[in-house]
Amino acid sequence: MSGRARARARGRARGHEGAAPTVGAAAVQPPSQEQLKPQHPPSEPPAEGELIGRGRQRRGPVAPRSQAELQISAGFQEMTLGERGGRRRDFYDLGVNTRQSMEHVRESKTGKQCASGTMIKLSTNHFRLTSRPQWALYQYHIDYSPEMEARRLRSALLFQHSDLIGRTHAFDGTILFLPKKLENKITEVFSQTRQGETVKITITLTNELPSTSPTCLQFYNIIFRRTPLIALPILFSFRLLKIMNLQQIGRNYYNPSDPISIPKHRLMIWPGFATSILQYETNIMLCTDVSHKVLRSETVLDFMYSLYEQVEEQRFREICAKELVGLIVLTRYNNKTYRIDDLDWDSNPQDTFKKADGSEISFVDYYKMQYSQEVKDLNQPVLVSQPKRKTGPGGVMKGPIILIPELCYLTGLTDKMRSDFNVMKDLSVHTRLAPEQRMREIGRLTDYINTDDNVQKELRDWGLSFESNLLSFSGRVIQSEKIHQGGKVFDYNPQLADWSKETRGVSLISIKPLDNWLLLYTRRNYDAANKLVQNLFKVTPAMGIQMNQAIMIEVDDRTEAYLRALKQKVSSDTQMVVCLLSSNRKDKYDAIKKYLCTDCPTPSQCVLARTLSKPQTVMAIATKIALQMNCKMGGELWSVEIPLKQLMVVGIDCYHDTTAGRRSIAGFVASLNQGMTRWYSRCVLQDRGQELVDGLKVCLQAALRTWYTYNNQMPSRIIVYRDGVGDGQLKTLVNYEVPQFLECIHSVGKDYSPKLTVIVVKKRVNTRFFAHVGGKLQNPPPGTVIDLEVTRPEWYDFFIVSQSVRTGSVAPTHYNVIYDNSALRPDYMQRLTYKLCHMYYNWPGVIRVPAPCQYAHKLAFLVGQSIHREPNLSLSESLYYL
């Protein structure tokens, strides 16, 4: 690349010499300690250096104790505790008690007293707290006169009185937590800065929290995650962090000193742990699991240079933004992760910003002084990351964080990597740990806790101890389902959770004849197109599908050519359009799907030509394509027995469309018949970053009307499976979304009052279960239900292991019933949920979530990734998005 080309790729700043760029809080707020935050992570302590005067930074050593204490207490700056409130989302949804409002599960929510299922001995990655603190947690508010801005200085001044507050404490610069109560409610002390200035400190008691309170548990978790994974004592946490050399990234901790390198794919894996400490059914327990952070060995700037070589110059900026916006990057100088929200092509590292003391500094000098990082490319654009939450006493939303591409490393995997079998295979060797291997890794952490003298001393100081063995208990395995297809009933191997062999060559439940369909292909794929048609004619007779010869249309290998042919050839009589594609270019796929889902609503199937290149697999691929085409036209494949009558099941999931300013897409899918084989599907497009659905009322009303046309009556029972709910959003869901459902039902008619159940489905859980088989730990079999010990006492919740995995440890799915006026027995609710995991038509086996959730996910993903508009409602009664 020439020098001029490199300049164009970087995008030179214009008119910014010596002026502060419009970035961060510094551009829009008066001088304050928050002004440095555009370049400084939200909870990062100030740079090494002496704090003088009113909290201004210069140079020189800091008081020896404050560094350790501040490294730990930084985590409290954003937490929501007691009177403080509003700073940090409660990721564990503490205090949301939904069980008390459901009378039928108030006393017992387990299905163990029912006859269904067989008992199985299980262990889980939880450790009981064997002795708990007998102290209360005392919360104090700290005031300074004159006011001190810098958090380090505030801590250093307060800790001059360690004889008063003691060595066991937590302080974030404003709020102090102590395990002991000071003699007076208001205590005044005086400290001196290094310059001899006297500062009055007022310590005021604001709250007294018993050790059993949910607030204390949240307090423990904040410390827990700010430390290397073991909760409670702050200084203990810091020592363990030093011992294990773990670095916090996001919510988890990783070990950068023991990386796993995969040079062939330019990838690196940092091993680590994810932890939480919560009140479960009968005990407070520590849950810890293995976590892995996948890092790429290329910076954002490397990626930009590489991309510039591959694309047209005039489209470089557009494509670069499309590729980078939404990605998570790691800045290794502080081990923080950020989401890229924008690229500022008119700024560069030579631009300046205002510091807290009002002086200006360039990004180049800032990174060199603060982190000893030298920025070499002075004309590269900058990255913009928007903060997600408000901080500070007034709940102020800070300005954007400015990042330098050269210092940002890409994390995670690209779509190309995910579709590369060799990449995923090499990664899985290190990340998919079998049960016994996973427990060995967890054992490394517990060994540190139990053998390190410093850790044990700190635990004793706080009156804590944990069991060293895994929690063991008994679960239940639900009986496997029978598959109904073509008038026959089939059993399958429950260990494999797959019935493709058993139902091969059997006619489907409902068949749509393929009389009028198009096949678009390019000249180079002529042979592949014929091969596909020939194999479809071979596999469809056994399914009972009648198929006519396709209308073959040859097109140029350009997006415009495909669209021109579709506009000319697709008519109202066309049942199906099959497009044979030479590559997986997203723009071509998106254009085809957008046209056939919105402008000219017709079921469509896109097939990559290379998938038909292997003779040994072409028949199997043709079979899957035929099944998908039948579903997309409204056909039905198989079913399981659903004993509940007049039942409508709803699935909801969300997807965030990064190309449309983080607009959210909510997929809504509702069953239309007794066998759960027909579905009504609709999308709701939401405002930027909004997770909870606003348009549920419209979707549910339309689904109820469609149900009535199929059944000549309204459903007497509605069960909603709500996926896509983020941590800490449960309270909003209970207070906002459930009332929408109730309001919608009441609007149908005064006499219509069906029983309603709303269940939150959560796949991202750290809980793992292991079955004891022959003296070894193995994955639990599909159908394992856990509704005791590791469930929450304030919720009506349970876990189900529904799927089977060939490698690694199986991940359970957590179900939390947040509303239920049906009085259905917990055992029946669990069995129905497991039945629905059999009804996803894209896989002849049991999946991890109920079928309506997976359908809603597929729908939201298609709209968010490719269509970016609401699909035509004429397609709503078919699974066109499979």
Side-chain angles (χ1 to χ4, degrees), residues 445-463:
L445 176 65
T446 56
D447 287 343
Y448 272 111
I449 296 171
N450 293 321
T451 59
D452 184 80
D453 293 337
N454 292 328
V455 171
Q456 289 299 306
K457 183 178 184 304
E458 291 295 334
L459 282 171
R460 288 194 299 271
D461 288 346
W462 286 84

Side-chain angles (χ1 to χ4, degrees), residues 658-681:
T658 57
T659 64
R662 288 283 289 173
R663 183 173 57 178
S664 294
I665 314 297
F668 178 99
V669 176
S671 63
L672 295 175
N673 63 347
Q674 170 67 27
M676 307 291 164
T677 58
R678 299 299 305 271
W679 302 89
Y680 175 86
S681 308

Side-chain angles (χ1 to χ4, degrees), residues 25 91 115 135 150 178 305 320 355 421 567 575 646 710 792 867:
F91 290 113
W135 39 259
L178 297 177
Y305 277 136
C320 190
K355 293 175 62 177
F421 174 80
K567 290 175 182 178
Q575 296 173 284
Q646 292 180 255
Y710 274 75
R792 300 272 285 270
I867 302 175

Side-chain angles (χ1 to χ4, degrees), residues 808-878:
S809 302
V810 69
T813 302
H814 182 250
Y815 298 91
N816 184 6
V817 184
I818 62 172
Y819 183 88
D820 184 22
N821 63 7
S822 70
L824 194 66
R825 280 166 45 179
D827 178 54
Y828 291 171
M829 191 71 73
Q830 295 160 3
R831 289 164 62 189
L832 174 65
T833 300
Y834 184 54
K835 285 175 180 286
L836 291 171
C837 294
H838 293 68
M839 293 303 300
Y840 181 59
Y841 282 163
N842 229 7
W843 175 252
V846 191
I847 62 171
R848 190 177 174 187
V849 295
C853 286
Q854 191 64 20
Y855 287 138
H857 168 75
K858 289 282 288 185
L859 173 59
F861 185 82
L862 174 66
V863 174
Q865 275 278 312
S866 303
I867 302 175
H868 311 296
R869 287 163 51 187
E870 184 174 0
N872 195 295
L873 294 180
S874 64
L875 295 172
S876 60
E877 294 178 37
S878 63

Side-chain angles (χ1 to χ4, degrees), residues 131-136 211 462-463:
S131 66
R132 60 190 304 164
Q134 299 305 311
W135 39 259
S211 60
W462 286 84

Side-chain angles (χ1 to χ4, degrees), residues 80-270:
T80 304
L81 286 177
E83 295 179 350
R84 190 167 189 189
R87 297 233 189 145
R88 186 183 192 91
R89 202 164 75 203
D90 171 13
F91 290 113
Y92 302 104
D93 295 298
L94 298 170
V96 182
N97 191 331
T98 52
R99 181 177 171 185
Q100 286 302 310
S101 63
M102 293 177 266
E103 188 175 351
H104 63 293
V105 292
R106 199 174 296 160
E107 298 301 323
S108 175
K109 63 178 180 181
T110 67
K112 63 182 180 181
Q113 65 270 37
C114 307
S116 66
T118 57
M119 305 304 290
I120 183 172
K121 186 178 179 183
L122 300 172
S123 289
T124 181
N125 55 336
H126 289 69
F127 301 88
R128 282 195 184 99
L129 184 67
T130 53
S131 66
R132 60 190 304 164
Q134 299 305 311
W135 39 259
L137 189 65
Y138 298 94
Q139 178 178 326
Y140 294 87
H141 184 82
I142 311 299
D143 288 307
Y144 295 81
S145 180
E147 182 62 38
M148 298 288 110
E149 289 185 4
R151 191 169 67 240
R152 276 193 181 181
L153 178 59
R154 296 164 71 92
S155 299
L157 293 172
L158 178 64
F159 297 155
Q160 289 180 18
H161 305 278
S162 58
D163 55 337
L164 173 68
I165 63 176
R167 65 184 298 275
T168 308
H169 53 251
F171 183 57
D172 73 337
T174 304
I175 303 296
L176 172 69
F177 290 99
L178 297 177
K180 69 176 185 177
K181 189 174 184 178
L182 300 182
E183 186 175 344
N184 300 314
K185 184 175 181 179
I186 299 177
T187 304
E188 292 184 353
V189 294
F190 294 87
S191 298
Q192 283 194 333
T193 66
R194 294 175 68 89
Q195 286 67 42
E197 181 180 12
T198 300
V199 179
K200 184 174 79 170
I201 303 175
T202 304
I203 307 171
T204 305
L205 178 66
T206 58
N207 211 349
E208 181 176 338
L209 306 166
S211 60
T212 56
S213 73
T215 305
C216 273
L217 287 176
Q218 186 179 1
F219 169 83
Y220 298 160
N221 274 291
I222 298 293
I223 304 175
F224 212 95
R225 291 190 357 262
R226 291 294 175 186
T227 69
L229 317 172
I230 178 66
L232 307 177
I234 296 179
L235 294 179
F236 143 68
S237 305
F238 178 64
R239 287 173 186 152
L240 185 54
L241 179 59
K242 288 185 66 177
I243 293 168
M244 299 183 70
N245 195 27
L246 298 179
Q247 299 289 336
Q248 184 183 9
I249 300 178
R251 299 189 214 172
N252 302 333
Y253 276 86
Y254 300 92
N255 187 358
S257 62
D258 187 24
I260 302 168
S261 181
I262 309 179
K264 182 166 60 174
H265 307 300
R266 299 185 68 187
L267 294 175
M268 184 179 295
I269 302 171
W270 284 5

